[in-house]
């Protein structure tokens, strides 16, 4: 089929005979079923999708039919595919229902598909596909019309129930969780963590299989999303704001915009430096409330068996503590405003999205160590030990550490190295962005011999 035989979405009209349309799919819903009022005891099936054939025009498509036709058609393409549609019914938008359950489009019409009259297939014309594919990177809303995550958090419950646009980077992608409702319907839920230069973490909740499938294909730390018409609500469980993908939400992956390009660059550098990993905040939970005791092997095993961070205590030897390296490897500097890691001689923040780039530059300094701890069951490597936890453990500030001689640093190192310690730790399980579990030291004390003996006795009892 030649590309020139297709009718542009902008030129569609109900009077056109046997129209042929081509477009790239930018939105797609899950299949739904409803009782058929004409045939009691049977169901009608439906799903919708949105196609785009130019930067300015896109249109909604609805398909209705029996189980086999609708599920077969839905499984034949996904978001990002280029399709051709032959002989759809061109219908005016319903003035009452409008576009309540699908994205808002600039077209006055919508397309309806039936098994008897319409045909949908993947676009086989490479020239047409090459022209359409770049359109998936153009947001469906004004590229400057979006909220930062920091603005959403700052406004709090004032934004509860609103529909807004968001530009953010993907930090992590949770595993889909499946459930069954009280009516027997099966469902799924996925949480995606977003971030930008104003907030280290923000939850995006996905419910539809089509969206979850899209999210599963993304690379955290290397993906920026423009999320049009996300619903903002207060999450009482997390006691904070969250965004939800709904029927009207259109997600543009790695948008072709200046703002997205700047955020992409920031995201790559921020992930590599660890400057905004909110999972590393020691104030997640009061240390005094952590009571579960683990061996190193138990920490590793639980970290592989769960998808959620957890906290524990381990009585282990500090087997790696490189305090006698060069000071630049022990102590790091961050921009005071955006917390982006900078070099010692930096005169300005190197984060292009830093909100204080035009203001006087200031930095904060802190310990940034990787430590290992070992017990009779194994070693947990490369655990993060940062300020202020490191300051409390070592008994000195970064400024005081700077003034220590090499011998004094070595002596400080051996105060803890190969000594039995009581280590409070947060374990972050493996994710798509990071293979292997990660440990974050929340507190570290030289262990009391009597407490260690009591712990070992309890452990021997467990082993029988």
């Amino acid at each position: 089929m030649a590309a020139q035989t297709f009718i542009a979405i902008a030129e569609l009209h109900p009077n056109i005979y046997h129209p042929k349309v081509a477009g790239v799919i930018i939105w797609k819903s899950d299949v739904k079923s409803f009782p058929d009022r004409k045939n009691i005891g049977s169901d009608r099936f439906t799903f919708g999708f949105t196609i785009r054939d130019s930067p300015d025009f896109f249109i909604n498509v609805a398909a209705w039919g029996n189980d086999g036709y609708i599920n077969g058609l839905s499984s034949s393409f996904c978001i990002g595919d280029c399709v051709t549609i032959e002989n759809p019914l061109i219908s005016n938008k319903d003035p009452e229902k409008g576009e309540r359950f699908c994205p808002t489009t600039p077209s006055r019409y919508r397309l309806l598909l039936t098994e008897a009259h319409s045909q949908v297939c993947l676009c086989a014309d490479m020239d047409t596909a090459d022209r359409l594919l770049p359109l998936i990177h153009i947001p469906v809303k004004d590229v400057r019309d979006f909220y930062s995550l920091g603005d959403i958090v700052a406004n709090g419950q004032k934004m509860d129930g609103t529909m807004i646009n968001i530009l953010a980077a993907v930090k992590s992608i949770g595993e889909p969780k499946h459930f069954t409702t009280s009516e027997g319907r099966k469902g799924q839920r996925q949480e995606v963590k977003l971030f930008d230069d104003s907030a280290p973490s923000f939850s995006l909740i996905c419910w539809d299989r089509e969206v979850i499938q899209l999210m599963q294909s993304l690379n955290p730390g290397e993906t920026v999303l423009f999320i049009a018409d996300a619903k903002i609500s207060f999450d009482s469980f997390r006691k904070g704001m969250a965004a939800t993908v709904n029927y009207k939400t259109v997600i543009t992956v790695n948008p072709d915009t200046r703002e997205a390009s700047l955020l992409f660059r920031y995201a790559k550098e921020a992930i590599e430096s660890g400057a905004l990993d909110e999972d590393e905040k020691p104030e997640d939970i009061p240390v005094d409330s952590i009571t579960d005791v683990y061996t190193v092997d138990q920490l590793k095993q639980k970290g592989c068996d769960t998808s959620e961070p957890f906290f524990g205590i381990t009585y282990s030897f500090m087997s790696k503590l490189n305090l006698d390296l060069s000071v630049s490897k022990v102590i790091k500097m961050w921009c005071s405003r955006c917390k982006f890691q900078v070099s010692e001689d930096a005169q300005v923040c190197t984060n292009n999205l830093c909100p204080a780039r035009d203001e006087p530059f200031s930095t904060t300094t802190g310990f940034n160590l990787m430590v290992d701890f070992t017990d009779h069951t194994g070693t947990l490597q490369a655990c993060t030990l940062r300020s202020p936890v490191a300051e409390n453990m070592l008994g000195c500030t970064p400024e005081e550490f700077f003034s220590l001689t090499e011998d004094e640093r070595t002596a400080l190192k051996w105060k803890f190295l190969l000594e039995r310690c009581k280590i409070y730790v947060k374990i972050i399980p493996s994710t798509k962005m990071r293979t292997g579990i990660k440990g974050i030291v929340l507190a570290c004390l030289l262990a009391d011999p009597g407490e260690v003996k009591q712990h070992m006795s309890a452990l021997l009892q467990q082993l029988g």
Side-chain angles (χ1 to χ4, degrees):
M1 184 181 295
Q4 60 266 25
T5 63
F6 297 123
I7 297 173
I9 292 173
E11 298 174 359
L12 286 173
H13 189 275
N15 294 332
I16 294 177
Y17 174 73
H18 207 91
K20 299 176 184 177
V21 185
V24 61
I25 296 175
I26 60 172
W27 174 87
K28 185 178 174 214
S29 75
D30 286 353
V31 172
K32 300 288 191 299
S33 64
F34 303 92
D36 190 338
R37 286 178 290 184
K38 294 181 179 179
N39 299 294
I40 305 301
S42 61
D43 290 339
R44 295 184 72 202
F45 290 77
T46 183
F47 79 102
F49 57 99
T50 306
I51 61 169
R52 186 178 206 165
D53 70 351
S54 69
D56 298 323
F57 283 93
F58 42 99
I59 192 170
N60 290 322
V61 186
W64 289 85
N66 59 41
D67 185 357
Y69 169 64
I70 292 300
N71 278 291
L73 181 60
S74 176
S75 63
S76 68
F77 55 81
C78 59
I79 296 172
D81 285 340
C82 295
V83 297
T84 61
I85 304 175
E86 186 171 349
N87 200 32
L89 174 65
I90 304 172
S91 170
N92 289 303
K93 290 179 180 177
D94 191 317
E96 294 183 2
K97 295 181 181 179
E99 294 171 311
R100 188 171 44 176
F101 298 112
C102 53
T104 302
T105 67
S107 175
R108 297 170 52 193
Y109 309 106
R110 59 178 181 147
L111 303 181
L112 300 178
L113 306 179
T114 61
E115 183 176 10
H117 301 96
S118 311
Q119 184 176 357
V120 182
C121 59
L122 294 175
C123 182
D125 184 85
M126 295 308 298
D127 290 338
T128 300
D130 289 343
R131 175 180 64 82
L132 294 173
L133 281 173
L135 299 174
I136 64 175
H137 298 295
I138 301 177
V140 297
K141 296 293 184 74
D142 185 336
V143 298
R144 295 159 297 181
D145 178 19
F146 62 86
Y147 279 81
S148 71
L149 301 180
D151 288 339
I152 301 171
V153 173
N155 279 282
Q157 295 192 51
K158 295 177 183 176
M159 300 189 73
D160 190 33
T162 60
M163 303 273 279
I164 65 170
N165 307 324
I166 299 171
L167 180 70
V170 177
K171 180 179 182 181
S172 64
I173 301 170
E175 289 298 320
K177 296 182 178 180
H178 300 273
F179 60 87
T180 303
T181 67
S182 57
E183 294 84 17
R185 289 183 176 271
K186 296 186 180 298
Q188 58 286 313
R189 179 184 185 277
Q190 182 185 50
E191 182 174 4
V192 176
K193 291 293 184 70
L194 308 175
F195 73 95
D196 63 11
D197 63 302
S198 65
S201 186
F202 188 86
S203 293
L204 175 70
I205 309 301
C206 308
W207 298 96
D208 272 16
R209 283 188 296 272
E210 293 293 336
V211 176
I212 290 174
Q213 180 179 325
L214 173 65
M215 292 298 167
Q216 292 292 93
S217 69
L218 305 181
N219 293 316
E222 300 178 1
T223 306
V224 171
L225 303 177
F226 189 100
I227 308 167
D229 287 328
K231 185 175 182 179
I232 302 299
S233 57
F234 180 75
D235 188 327
S236 57
F237 176 74
R238 293 173 177 79
K239 301 191 184 308
M241 306 307 292
T244 303
V245 176
N246 64 88
Y247 289 116
K248 300 186 73 65
T249 307
V250 178
I251 298 174
T252 303
V253 178
N254 289 331
D256 186 13
T257 69
R258 177 181 176 276
E259 293 82 0
S261 178
L262 289 172
L263 181 55
F264 179 84
R265 192 182 316 160
Y266 167 77
K268 290 278 288 183
E269 295 175 357
I271 287 292
E272 290 169 2
S273 70
L276 47 74
D277 192 344
E278 55 96 39
D279 288 324
E280 300 192 11
K281 290 184 179 178
E283 62 269 23
D284 277 314
I285 184 173
V287 170
D288 293 344
S289 68
I290 302 174
T291 57
D292 294 334
V293 179
Y294 299 86
T295 65
V296 168
D297 184 65
Q298 288 171 335
L299 288 173
K300 289 181 175 180
Q301 188 61 47
K302 185 171 181 179
C304 293
D305 293 342
T306 184
S307 60
E308 299 294 331
F310 65 95
F311 302 84
I313 299 170
T314 181
Y315 292 91
S316 300
F317 295 97
M318 190 75 72
S319 52
K320 179 181 178 182
L321 179 63
N322 292 331
L323 292 178
D324 46 4
L325 295 174
S326 63
V327 175
S328 62
K329 294 185 177 180
V330 176
I331 295 174
K332 301 293 184 181
M333 296 177 64
W334 293 269
C335 171
S336 299
R337 185 67 183 274
C338 70
K339 307 305 179 186
F340 196 81
Q341 188 172 313
V342 296
S343 61
E344 292 180 61
D345 56 353
Q347 300 298 312
V348 295
C349 181
T350 51
N351 171 20
N352 289 323
L353 295 180
C354 178
R357 278 182 66 85
D358 297 327
E359 301 174 9
F361 181 54
S362 63
T363 60
T364 55
T365 304
F367 289 101
N368 186 35
L369 295 162
M370 291 294 182
V371 300
D372 296 351
F373 48 86
T374 303
D375 68 3
H376 62 289
T377 65
T379 298
L380 192 58
Q381 298 178 317
C383 298
T384 303
L385 175 62
R386 288 182 175 170
S387 294
V389 176
E391 295 173 25
N392 295 332
M393 169 184 155
L394 300 174
C396 67
T397 64
E399 291 74 18
E400 292 168 338
F401 187 84
F402 269 120
S403 64
L404 296 179
T405 65
E406 187 174 333
D407 288 343
E408 288 172 329
R409 291 174 191 163
T410 301
L412 183 60
K413 166 183 174 177
W414 282 101
K415 181 180 177 181
F416 294 92
L417 192 66
L418 302 184
E419 293 292 334
R420 176 85 73 170
C421 296
K422 182 180 183 181
I423 304 168
Y424 294 81
V425 65
K426 178 177 182 178
I427 298 297
I428 303 175
S430 174
T431 67
K432 285 185 68 174
M433 189 171 65
R434 176 182 57 249
T435 56
I437 67 171
K438 181 175 183 180
I440 301 167
V441 178
L442 306 183
C444 182
L445 311 168
L446 290 173
D448 177 80
E451 193 174 355
V452 174
K453 184 177 180 180
Q454 183 179 0
H455 162 63
M456 294 304 294
S457 297
L459 182 62
L460 289 172
Q461 287 181 350
Q462 290 178 14
L463 296 175

